[in-house]
Amino acid sequence: IKRYAPPTENPTQAYIQYVAHEAGFTTWSHLNVRNEQVMFALIKAMAKFEQGKHFHDSDEVILAGVRMALNGH
């Protein structure tokens, strides 16, 4: 998260804590980003953080995007 949400542009530490909590990980978890369930949880949590009260992406849309990314599309 620090790479894409640097402290100069975002509340990076709050972002990390929010995403970890929402996704069910700790801030120090080692994550397999090639795992569909891990990526789904991360992307959903990040989308919620980014969109706030306006979060409206369905699980199906997020999962489809994760699958496309993992399959190189």
Side-chain angles (χ1 to χ4, degrees):
I1 290 178
K2 285 182 181 179
R3 178 188 291 175
Y4 301 105
T8 56
E9 299 174 11
N10 297 278
T12 305
Q13 199 56 39
Y15 197 140
I16 292 168
Q17 291 172 346
Y18 178 88
V19 169
H21 180 264
E22 281 289 312
F25 304 115
T26 69
T27 58
W28 293 102
S29 294
H30 291 275
L31 305 175
N32 177 0
V33 295
R34 299 212 185 280
N35 178 284
E36 185 177 286
Q37 292 175 326
V38 169
M39 288 305 295
F40 173 80
L42 287 175
I43 297 301
K44 184 172 182 176
M46 291 170 77
K48 282 183 169 182
F49 185 87
E50 293 287 341
Q51 296 176 20
K53 294 178 183 178
H54 304 291
F55 178 74
H56 61 282
D57 296 322
S58 69
D59 287 355
E60 292 81 17
V61 169
I62 295 169
L63 189 55
V66 167
R67 287 179 175 159
M68 287 191 307
L70 292 176
N71 291 315
H73 298 325

